[in-house]
Amino acid sequence: MYRYDTHDQTLVNERVAQFRDQMNRYLAGRLSEEEFLPLRVQNGLYVQRHAPMLRIAIPYGMLASYQLRKLGDLARDYDRGYGHFTTRTNLQLNWPKLETVPDMLAELASVEMHAIQTSGNDIRNTSSDQFAGVAEDEEVDPRPWCELIRQWSTFHPEFTYLPRKFKIAVTGSAEDRAAIQVHDVGLRLWRDAHGEVRVKVLAGGGLGRTPMIGEVVREDLPWQHLLTYLEALVRVYNQFGRRDNKFKARIKILVKALGVDEFRRRVDAEWAHLKDGPQTLTRQTVEDMQQHFVDPERRPISEAAIADYERLRSENRAFARFVTNNVHGHKVPGYKAVTLSLKRSGHSPGDLTWEQMHQVADLADEYSYGELRVTHEQNLVLSDVAVDQMEALWQRLGELGLANPTVGTLADLICCPGGDYCGLANAKSIPVAHAIQERFEDLDFLYDLGPVELNISGCMNACGHHHVGNIGILGVDKKGEEWYQISLGGAQGNEASLGKILGPSFSREMVPEVIDKVLQVYVGERIEGETFVETYRRIGLKPFKERVYA
């Protein structure tokens, strides 16, 4: 993991002191609400429906065990004993007292964490592949490049007040697990015939009120120019993005309005002033950064141990289910990456108690070299688990309620906090998630369905990524009542697509029955080996619509 140097630590400490002074002035009445708002949001502090909310940055989803323990401490000491992992791999604490936030930020700084730029019209937390550094299909480890982007974007003097928020995602694998096509900027790292890193740059993706798939702006940017090209791209957006209408202020609107060719031309014209300038990356800079992300000293795993693991998998059905769904391939033989499910009936998706945070931190120390990852599907990952310890880890996870063998199934749904917390939400999301989990909890049925992504958002801001769910659910306000709009056919990954609205919205009580009817059409129409989204793309929306509204 990246470790702070003296400069990093000083910067974060000074930011805490600065915000403490701002908070004191606000509480004393020397700063108005209007003056305080832009100061607090750039430190991750919102005022939600019922209480303040602090959003803590987890850069590109990486956490050390001691950092997770600190998050548990904050949830216990300053909140109501739990935290919520979001689709941007951040952690939100939903009930802190306003006056305690500077103390919370100081505690975060003590473990090399912060809440800087987790809100506001600036460059937000960069996200990436949860299996970065260990994935079997990885061409380039994206983590050093994500850290370079984080350092470039944090406190960038030009980009503090962009037209709207700005999100970057990076992947270096054949399979896109970072959803780069639906970000303001998506970066795909690859190697040319000479082994040199190149960057495919997409711009203009995003969800929210006007969802769009990103356009390719550059196919083969040399790695040396990554930061200068990003500088040019964001500068064009900063200059030409709309500021008169916040609903049309995202870069996706600018790219659409100009057309990708004209947008590319403007970026290239701006880049001409920056190319080969002082922000050009050197090989030494990149190599120094890569030294922060070296592999742990993994002990070798014998062929006999691997054989024992496979035998246990064949003999123990419950263990086999866990392995099939929650355990993922690893670049090193004898090791696996393990997803810890934060989805179980009766619990809000993405939530973890302070006790569980401490216990998972212990598991990371014992089984994964003190490191874990947060996924944008709102789960956690232990990235380096030896197969001869898998059974023991599985049993420990079962005791903690984190071994649900449902990752990638309908039960592994994504859900924003919705109207239970968020002041922007039109409807509640969590009760809908609970109702669906209760309706479809039979494992045999879930496995028969195969991979189905179901995403729930409480409003058009799409924090639950409903547009790219195979089944998407959007809360809408209908004359003061909560209703839910269903969309089908969305997908993330290499073949990303946006879902299409099924038809008129439904009351909350009707949603599980509607989902059941949608699944019945899929089961009846699919051909062998076909996933839900593949069936949808073959037969279209009409059969689903006819069944649901019959």
Side-chain angles (χ1 to χ4, degrees):
M1 287 186 61
Y2 180 77
R3 297 302 306 268
Y4 283 11
D5 59 17
T6 303
H7 175 76
D8 294 315
Q9 193 64 56
T10 300
L11 193 71
V12 173
N13 289 343
E14 289 179 349
R15 183 64 160 186
V16 172
Q18 179 191 53
F19 186 64
R20 189 183 296 278
D21 175 65
Q22 292 166 347
M23 177 65 78
N24 289 338
R25 285 188 286 142
Y26 169 71
L27 294 175
R30 297 198 302 272
L31 281 178
S32 68
E33 192 73 49
E34 184 179 4
E35 291 171 321
F36 186 56
L37 190 151
L39 304 177
R40 66 172 170 80
V41 295
Q42 290 198 354
N43 287 279
L45 180 58
Y46 286 74
V47 176
Q48 295 282 71
R49 186 180 296 271
H50 304 295
M53 181 269 281
L54 181 65
R55 179 180 293 152
I56 298 165
I58 303 177
Y60 38 96
M62 291 202 68
L63 271 176
S65 58
Y66 60 85
Q67 292 175 323
L68 183 59
R69 283 193 192 91
K70 177 58 70 175
L71 295 178
D73 292 344
L74 295 180
R76 178 194 62 203
D77 298 340
Y78 297 95
D79 208 272
R80 294 189 175 180
Y82 63 93
H84 174 74
F85 289 98
T86 76
T87 52
R88 287 212 62 73
T89 72
N90 297 309
L91 181 82
Q92 293 181 176
L93 296 176
N94 288 297
W95 301 96
K97 294 180 180 177
L98 204 62
E99 61 272 18
T100 67
V101 171
D103 293 333
M104 298 171 73
L105 296 179
E107 291 208 34
L108 288 172
S110 72
V111 292
E112 302 176 10
M113 298 186 76
H114 60 74
I116 297 165
Q117 291 178 206
T118 56
S119 181
N121 295 335
D122 45 37
I123 299 176
R124 299 283 186 90
N125 186 38
T126 298
S127 59
S128 189
D129 182 351
Q130 66 263 33
F131 302 126
V134 303
E136 293 176 301
D137 64 338
E138 188 171 85
E139 294 179 65
V140 182
D141 185 348
R143 294 173 300 171
W145 306 92
C146 288
E147 179 58 30
L148 288 166
I149 292 169
R150 185 193 71 82
Q151 295 188 17
W152 160 77
S153 62
T154 302
F155 295 136
H156 194 297
E158 282 188 51
F159 304 147
T160 303
Y161 296 101
L162 294 170
R164 278 291 272 132
K165 56 188 176 182
F166 198 90
K167 300 175 181 179
I168 300 173
V170 189
T171 185
S173 295
E175 180 183 349
D176 173 21
R177 289 176 288 268
I180 65 171
Q181 295 185 63
V182 288
H183 279 74
D184 296 285
V185 164
L187 304 176
R188 162 75 162 90
L189 306 170
W190 57 282
R191 293 188 185 275
D192 63 19
H194 304 288
E196 289 293 314
V197 174
R198 298 273 177 159
V199 188
K200 181 178 181 178
V201 182
L202 295 86
L207 302 178
R209 187 171 296 270
T210 312
M212 294 185 188
I213 300 294
E215 302 264 14
V216 177
V217 182
R218 187 93 187 193
E219 285 279 4
D220 60 348
L221 180 73
W223 60 267
Q224 295 91 334
H225 303 302
L226 174 61
L227 297 186
T228 56
Y229 194 79
L230 284 176
E231 180 102 1
L233 191 153
V234 183
R235 192 175 282 182
V236 168
Y237 168 56
N238 200 24
Q239 181 177 357
F240 297 105
R242 292 184 61 171
R243 297 177 185 270
D244 62 322
N245 185 337
K246 71 177 184 177
F247 301 121
K248 298 183 179 180
R250 297 289 292 269
I251 191 175
K252 60 190 176 185
I253 304 298
L254 178 64
V255 174
K256 183 73 172 179
L258 294 176
V260 68
D261 293 334
E262 173 61 17
F263 180 78
R264 184 186 298 113
R265 187 195 67 77
R266 295 191 186 192
V267 172
D268 286 344
E270 185 62 42
W271 189 39
H273 303 294
L274 300 170
K275 187 179 181 182
D276 300 321
Q279 289 193 94
T280 303
L281 294 170
T282 66
R283 196 170 297 277
Q284 186 63 54
T285 298
V286 174
E287 289 177 353
D288 288 347
M289 185 59 72
Q290 288 170 336
Q291 291 306 306
H292 287 276
F293 300 94
V294 296
D295 289 344
E297 294 184 6
R298 302 182 183 98
R299 60 184 174 84
I301 306 301
S302 68
E303 291 294 333
I306 296 174
D308 287 342
Y309 163 76
E310 293 296 343
R311 183 170 58 255
L312 177 63
R313 184 179 178 182
S314 66
E315 295 173 351
N316 187 322
R317 187 182 183 211
F319 180 70
R321 282 176 159 176
F322 174 76
V323 170
T324 298
N325 291 279
N326 297 43
V327 177
H328 312 270
H330 198 290
K331 67 180 183 181
V332 178
Y335 283 83
K336 301 290 182 181
V338 180
T339 299
L340 284 55
S341 174
L342 304 190
K343 320 290 175 61
R344 53 182 175 146
S345 184
H347 295 261
S348 301
D351 279 9
L352 207 62
T353 67
W354 76 264
E355 295 98 335
Q356 288 174 318
M357 292 185 206
H358 283 194
Q359 290 159 343
V360 171
D362 291 341
L363 295 181
D365 284 334
E366 189 171 348
Y367 296 103
S368 190
Y369 300 94
E371 180 187 296
L372 60 151
R373 318 287 180 85
V374 185
T375 80
H376 72 265
E377 290 92 358
Q378 300 175 290
N379 292 317
L380 298 179
V381 170
L382 299 178
S383 55
D384 281 282
V385 179
V387 295
D388 59 3
Q389 292 184 303
M390 191 68 71
E391 182 184 17
L393 172 62
W394 170 59
Q395 292 172 343
R396 296 275 295 277
L397 291 174
E399 295 167 1
L400 301 181
L402 301 175
N404 270 7
T406 55
V407 172
T409 71
L410 182 73
D412 189 27
L413 49 78
I414 290 173
C415 178
C416 76
D420 284 304
Y421 299 96
C422 181
L424 300 176
N426 294 317
K428 294 182 178 180
S429 302
I430 296 171
V432 177
H434 289 170
I436 292 171
Q437 288 171 324
E438 290 171 7
R439 178 73 173 252
F440 306 104
E441 59 182 0
D442 180 79
L443 288 179
D444 290 328
F445 177 71
L446 293 175
Y447 295 154
D448 178 66
L449 288 177
V452 181
E453 297 173 357
L454 190 149
N455 300 0
I456 308 172
S457 296
C459 75
M460 285 299 296
N461 285 307
C463 293
H465 295 182
H466 67 277
H467 295 295
V468 290
N470 302 160
I471 302 172
I473 302 175
L474 168 65
V476 295
D477 182 291
K478 208 170 183 180
K479 297 181 180 179
E481 296 182 357
E482 296 181 1
W483 286 67
Y484 296 86
Q485 190 180 80
I486 310 297
S487 60
L488 301 179
Q492 55 182 329
N494 294 4
E495 298 182 10
S497 59
L498 302 173
K500 292 185 177 181
I501 297 171
L502 184 63
S505 55
F506 304 92
S507 67
R508 184 192 301 173
E509 293 73 21
M510 296 173 66
V511 171
E513 181 65 25
V514 171
I515 302 305
D516 195 7
K517 291 179 179 180
V518 166
L519 295 174
Q520 288 174 22
V521 174
Y522 162 55
V523 171
E525 295 287 343
R526 65 182 171 181
I527 59 178
E528 188 174 354
E530 205 171 43
T531 65
F532 178 90
V533 74
E534 289 168 343
T535 298
Y536 169 84
R537 289 171 177 171
R538 178 172 56 81
I539 69 175
L541 190 68
K542 186 178 178 181
F544 296 96
K545 190 168 187 174
E546 289 176 345
R547 178 60 190 273
V548 168
Y549 294 100

